[in-house]
Amino acid sequence: QVQLVESGGGLVQAGGSLRLSCAASGRTFYMYAMGWFRQAPGKEREFVAAISWSGGDTYYADSVKGRFTISRDNAKNTVYLQMNSLKPEDTAVYYCARLVGNWGTQRGADFGSWGQGTQVTVSS
């Protein structure tokens, strides 16, 4: 069972950037596709991005396409989310998770081993 710990959140002004990290325990991390989700207060959890086990394939939610980049370093057991051109509507708790369903899904139910989340706040 992989355990995930997110970090890198914080307060940033609109237009700024942040890089989130998701550190995984276990020697099988490299076998899993991974994803990022977010949840704003009073809203449902929302898919953000996913990356294949090799890092060679990715897909994104339309709301972040062109602004966010997901990547991974299997030697470091870490997945990253580079967030540029941040907007106030990007404010949320961001979570990483392991894909347990089919590639291409954006459903939270198709991901597991959720981390505890890291808060991102974008001020206007």
Side-chain angles (χ1 to χ4, degrees):
Q1 180 78 0
V2 64
Q3 292 185 320
L4 305 172
V5 178
E6 302 93 336
S7 62
L11 174 63
V12 63
Q13 288 189 332
S17 298
L18 279 175
R19 188 176 82 155
L20 306 184
S21 298
C22 171
S25 64
R27 290 180 285 182
T28 58
F29 168 78
Y30 71 94
M31 298 173 62
Y32 304 130
M34 299 292 296
W36 284 96
F37 283 74
R38 66 187 182 186
Q39 187 166 22
K43 295 189 176 182
E44 291 189 355
R45 184 173 53 193
E46 173 189 27
F47 171 80
V48 174
I51 188 166
S52 64
W53 67 271
S54 68
D57 293 296
T58 59
Y59 60 98
Y60 297 88
D62 288 343
S63 58
V64 306
K65 205 171 292 184
R67 299 188 298 122
F68 290 11
T69 302
I70 189 171
S71 62
R72 67 190 297 162
D73 185 338
N74 286 342
K76 296 182 178 180
N77 275 17
T78 302
V79 178
Y80 303 99
L81 186 68
Q82 178 67 44
M83 306 186 295
N84 298 329
S85 302
L86 282 162
K87 306 174 181 180
E89 52 264 44
D90 294 317
T91 295
V93 177
Y94 283 71
Y95 301 89
C96 66
R98 175 172 72 91
L99 177 65
V100 297
N102 294 325
W103 178 251
T105 182
Q106 297 190 9
R107 297 194 322 146
D110 289 328
F111 290 79
S113 303
W114 296 86
Q116 85 292 344
T118 185
Q119 176 71 47
V120 171
T121 303
V122 184
S123 63
S124 57

